[in-house]
Amino acid sequence: SLSEKLQQIIASTGKNSTLTDDNIQDALREIRRALLGADVSLNVVKSFISSIKNKVVGEKVVESTNPSQTLIKIVNDELTNLLGEKQAPLKLDTNPSIIMMLGLQGSGKTTSAAKLALKLKKEGKSPLLVALDVYRPAAILQLKTLAKDNNIDFFSDENNSDVVDIAKKSLEHAQKNNNTVLIFDTAGRLQIDSDMMAELMLLSHNFKINEKLLVVDSMIGQAALEVALDFDEQLGIDGVILTKLDGDTKGGCALSIVHATKKPIKLIATGENIVPLEDFHPDRMANRILG
Amino acid sequence: ITNDDVINEYEFDDIESMLIKADLGVDLSVELVEKLKDKKIKSSQLKPFLKEEFVNILNNAPDEKLKFDKNKINIYFVVGVNGAGKTTLIGKLANKFKKEGQKVLLVAGDTFRAAAEEQLDIWSKRAEVDILREDKADSASLAYRAIDSARKENYNVVIIDSAGRLQNKFNLIEELKKIKNVIAKKIENDNLETILVLDGTQGQNGLNQAMVFNEAVDISAIAITKLDGTPKGGIIFSIAKTLKLPTKLIGIGEGINDIKEFNKDEFISALFD
Ligand SMILES: Nc1nc2c(ncn2[C@@H]2O[C@H](COP(=O)(O)OP(=O)(O)OP(=O)(O)O)[C@@H](O)[C@H]2O)c(=O)[nH]1
Ligand SMILES: Nc1nc2c(ncn2[C@@H]2O[C@H](COP(=O)(O)OP(=O)(O)OP(=O)(O)O)[C@@H](O)[C@H]2O)c(=O)[nH]1
Ligand SMILES: [Mg+2]
Ligand SMILES: [Mg+2]
């Protein structure tokens, strides 16, 4: 683990285990290696390391009686702070409110949409799942099945390939049906696909979307930084849902995304079964990344 | 950099950055840059040297194409984590074989996820091939029956879909072993390729995936998807180096024709783009 490696580095100087210029370099290199190994994007790692370096120099780690522990604590605290405040809530202050799920292919949007609906139901809202993925084979059936199996209201317009039109109809349906929150499930797309990005922008312009949530697979690699930045710059995201955290990936993308976009990770998914989405805890994520 | 100039420290950093950003992983990237330094590679030799290194790393794995013999039954068992692109890959592969005149049977082995069978069914219609699907069926028995059908009805390609599963889910991996054992026992003179589908956008966890899936069901081929996005899929290098698993297929889009046989030189050139 990182803390063991740091202990070894500091112990190896043999000089009453204090932190010297030499072993600070080695320690920083080890921290860098751990963060890259956890899939934190390179540019984010570089800026993180330089801020740690300043803290190490500034915080008298050198004089501490247990420098490796102090160092690990600085890293953990800095990581936790950067990962953002605990529980950034969903802003659903209009009636009805609209949440739009968006992101790369296979990241977990459809599954998370159903889980989000369950969470909202528990909070006394009346969610409507809206099938706006008109491309993927059986996408509408997938969302319809999840809705039906979990007693969630559902809207689709099966032979309509115009997502703006389907969305308009879903709003009318929501009014009649007294749904207070609409959850738009959209097709997976590449942030470099201008036609597909235009579709999201069209939805964004035609409707007041309270929450644009970027759904990210926690296993994502170095691309996390540019993907998040690109989606945010083109569309403006309000928050992130990190999925598949029941896996054993370190999930360093969490740091890349928050550090780059300054948008919060609002919710997390930890399994295939449809249960309410859970809150994001920055301290737990920090421990996981440094694991 | 002027031709034949010595590479300076900043330039070494740039090279290391490029490798890390391509998801090669920090250890392999550092190792390659150290090699460049040790051998005092000049900047004009840089690209050819790196290309050769990449080829050497990939050559740790057997240099093989996807197994196929038109006079045998060719069985492809497709596995991988959730959302990697298995079902879509199967649709593309089915289409390719059908266009080459083969008789293809798809097996809807994901009996768990919502609309999984329907999704594969739509692909079977697009590729104009047959599909074996049955509500509430057990995946292992579906695979068993599919191979029986293949013998009786002269299919020479059988492609078996499976539910996505994360590698740390012990019970799901055990289930996969069971399906593989059933297939393995049913094989007579047939070809079997066990394909691990890897999401090209993922990071270092891909090595762990490959390790666990390989240990569980003996992977014979890697298929890496979503390379039409910005990520480079560099994880296949440590998979070739550490596990000696060959990459045989790549997915480059969501359309039925967006599949290619893996080509080392093309893949390596793309790293420099
Ligand atoms: N283990 C696990 N699997 C998940 C989680 N979230 C989603 N999945 C699975 O990941 C796969 C992809 O999920 P989807 O909801 O279809 O993803 P999507 O983003 O809607 O995919 P596209 O619409 O094709 O872009 C499915 O097998 C889901 O069951 C999670 O938190 N944990
Ligand atoms: N851009 C791009 N998208 C792809 C590629 N391959 C698959 N996809 C998309 O990725 C998403 C997931 O694909 P699936 O085939 O459902 O993945 P899977 O592994 O079968 O998923 P589960 O069965 O849920 O585990 C779909 O939206 C596909 O269209 C590819 O090569 N490029
Ligand atoms: Mg979906
Ligand atoms: Mg599938």
Side-chain angles (χ1 to χ4, degrees):
Chain A
S1 75
L2 179 62
S3 53
E4 290 166 346
K5 294 216 178 86
L6 292 183
Q7 282 186 352
Q8 288 173 2
I9 289 172
I10 300 200
S12 71
T13 60
K15 294 191 163 122
N16 311 320
S17 351
T18 55
L19 215 49
T20 66
D21 275 342
D22 279 344
N23 64 18
I24 284 181
Q25 282 313 317
D26 288 345
L28 289 178
R29 196 166 308 128
E30 208 49 53
I31 295 166
R32 171 188 133 105
R33 202 155 152 265
L35 293 174
L36 288 173
D39 293 319
V40 180
S41 296
L42 182 61
N43 294 352
V44 174
V45 174
K46 288 181 176 169
S47 101
F48 184 84
I49 296 291
S50 73
S51 66
I52 291 296
K53 191 169 187 176
N54 293 335
K55 292 213 155 58
V56 168
V57 163
E59 257 194 49
K60 302 189 186 308
V61 176
V62 178
E63 297 157 30
S64 130
T65 48
N66 193 340
S68 70
Q69 272 229 23
T70 310
L71 189 51
I72 268 283
K73 178 151 179 0
I74 291 176
V75 173
N76 204 315
D77 288 350
E78 180 69 356
L79 191 48
T80 306
N81 285 333
L82 287 175
L83 285 171
E85 359 107 35
K86 179 157 144 17
Q87 301 190 17
L90 296 174
K91 287 221 177 66
L92 305 175
D93 47 10
T94 59
N95 193 354
S97 291
I98 302 179
I99 301 173
M100 183 162 80
M101 314 287 279
L102 56 117
L104 297 177
Q105 290 88 349
S107 61
K109 298 175 289 302
T110 304
T111 310
S112 300
K115 292 178 182 177
L116 180 55
L118 276 194
K119 173 178 165 69
L120 296 174
K121 270 180 90 171
K122 272 179 79 179
E123 296 168 0
K125 304 226 164 50
S126 172
L128 177 69
L129 285 170
V130 182
L132 295 185
D133 181 352
V134 300
Y135 309 92
R136 169 175 154 150
I140 297 177
L141 180 65
Q142 182 186 5
L143 189 62
K144 184 185 217 173
T145 306
L146 294 180
K148 180 156 169 288
D149 291 351
N150 294 282
N151 290 318
I152 306 167
D153 292 338
F154 172 77
F155 182 84
S156 67
D157 191 4
E158 301 241 353
N159 290 315
N160 194 340
S161 62
D162 177 349
V163 297
V164 172
D165 192 52
I166 302 172
K168 283 204 175 89
K169 292 184 169 142
S170 77
L171 264 172
E172 295 164 7
H173 178 88
Q175 305 280 22
K176 294 198 202 99
N177 205 37
N178 291 320
N179 294 111
T180 53
V181 187
L182 288 88
I183 302 173
F184 287 174
D185 181 25
T186 67
R189 69 203 65 217
L190 301 179
Q191 79 283 9
I192 55 173
D193 183 334
S194 45
D195 291 336
M196 289 303 278
M197 291 307 287
E199 177 184 89
L200 288 182
M201 291 181 218
L202 203 56
L203 282 169
S204 205
H205 288 143
N206 276 283
F207 304 95
K208 160 114 179 55
I209 309 219
N210 305 63
E211 289 278 340
K212 293 187 214 94
L213 299 178
L214 179 65
V215 180
V216 179
D217 184 331
S218 58
M219 297 179 251
I220 192 171
Q222 289 287 311
L225 178 61
E226 70 187 297
V227 168
L229 271 176
D230 230 335
F231 270 106
D232 191 31
E233 280 167 14
Q234 293 188 54
L235 256 190
I237 62 178
D238 298 295
V240 172
I241 298 178
L242 210 52
T243 66
K244 306 180 200 172
L245 282 172
D246 46 322
D248 58 17
T249 192
K250 297 269 166 63
C253 60
L255 179 62
S256 310
I257 293 169
V258 176
H259 190 260
T261 64
K262 306 288 180 265
K263 300 294 166 68
I265 296 175
K266 295 202 173 187
L267 297 161
I268 63 172
T270 59
E272 280 195 83
N273 293 320
I274 306 303
V275 297
L277 282 181
E278 301 159 44
D279 290 330
F280 173 69
H281 293 271
D283 52 346
R284 291 184 209 168
M285 195 73 217
N287 284 331
R288 178 184 184 123
I289 290 173
L290 295 176
Chain B
I1 306 179
T2 62
N3 258 357
D4 252 36
D5 220 4
V6 167
I7 304 177
N8 69 41
E9 205 54 44
Y10 290 120
E11 287 154 349
F12 277 124
D13 278 351
D14 283 347
I15 295 162
E16 192 185 83
S17 293
M18 174 194 108
L19 298 174
I20 289 173
K21 285 182 179 180
D23 285 316
L24 262 80
V26 58
D27 291 344
L28 194 50
S29 304
V30 167
E31 183 182 321
L32 283 170
V33 172
E34 288 309 308
K35 238 183 175 175
L36 287 175
K37 290 178 178 171
D38 286 347
K39 304 214 166 183
K40 302 201 165 47
I41 300 294
K42 301 266 187 312
S43 70
S44 59
Q45 304 166 308
L46 177 64
K47 215 169 178 188
F49 180 82
L50 275 179
K51 285 192 175 187
E52 195 184 342
E53 280 305 304
F54 289 140
V55 171
N56 291 340
I57 294 173
L58 290 179
N59 285 342
N60 278 298
D63 188 5
E64 292 171 359
K65 302 260 170 283
L66 196 68
K67 280 193 203 125
F68 179 75
D69 179 339
K70 71 175 167 58
N71 298 315
K72 294 188 170 182
I73 299 180
N74 299 276
I75 302 168
Y76 304 94
F77 179 38
V78 179
V79 303
V81 301
N82 307 71
K86 299 177 288 303
T87 305
T88 306
L89 182 87
I90 292 173
K92 297 168 181 174
L93 197 56
N95 183 58
K96 179 167 157 333
F97 280 125
K98 170 81 185 196
K99 294 265 177 319
E100 292 167 3
Q102 316 307 339
K103 190 166 179 204
V104 182
L105 177 66
L106 300 188
V107 185
D110 180 353
T111 53
F112 168 74
R113 206 207 70 211
E117 290 140 323
E118 185 59 25
Q119 183 186 5
L120 188 66
D121 202 317
I122 293 172
W123 278 109
S124 75
K125 305 251 179 327
R126 287 179 177 182
E128 300 182 79
V129 301
D130 296 338
I131 180 167
L132 176 64
R133 67 177 279 199
E134 188 183 291
D135 239 1
K136 307 274 167 20
D138 166 59
S139 300
S141 68
L142 267 183
Y144 185 94
R145 282 195 281 138
I147 299 174
D148 257 350
S149 277
R151 294 199 209 293
K152 294 198 186 88
E153 301 176 35
N154 294 319
Y155 290 102
N156 63 349
V157 173
V158 177
I159 316 180
I160 304 170
D161 196 5
S162 66
R165 66 205 68 217
L166 300 182
Q167 68 275 19
N168 57 329
K169 302 291 173 88
F170 181 78
N171 294 337
L172 298 181
I173 296 295
E174 287 302 297
E175 175 198 52
L176 204 63
K177 283 184 185 175
K178 183 163 154 290
I179 302 172
K180 169 82 192 233
N181 287 336
V182 164
I183 295 172
K185 289 208 181 82
K186 195 79 177 119
I187 301 277
E188 294 169 6
N189 186 26
D190 320 300
N191 271 338
L192 172 63
E193 190 85 273
T194 304
I195 304 175
L196 174 64
V197 179
L198 288 182
D199 186 325
T201 68
Q202 75 178 310
Q204 298 309 300
N205 194 253
L207 178 60
N208 203 18
Q209 269 172 42
M211 237 177 249
V212 173
F213 274 88
N214 189 37
E215 192 277 335
V217 296
D218 257 326
I219 300 296
S220 61
I222 300 279
I224 182 156
T225 63
K226 307 181 192 172
L227 290 185
D228 46 319
T230 47
K232 306 281 187 178
I235 193 65
I236 65 162
F237 289 104
S238 42
I239 291 177
K241 184 165 188 241
T242 313
L243 302 174
K244 319 228 177 296
L245 297 179
T247 298
K248 300 190 183 180
L249 295 171
I250 71 173
I252 48 167
E254 301 187 77
I256 202 164
N257 294 309
D258 293 332
I259 182 174
K260 286 210 287 187
E261 204 169 62
F262 179 70
N263 177 311
K264 281 190 190 103
D265 297 321
E266 281 180 18
F267 185 87
I268 288 168
S269 294
L271 290 176
F272 293 99
D273 291 341

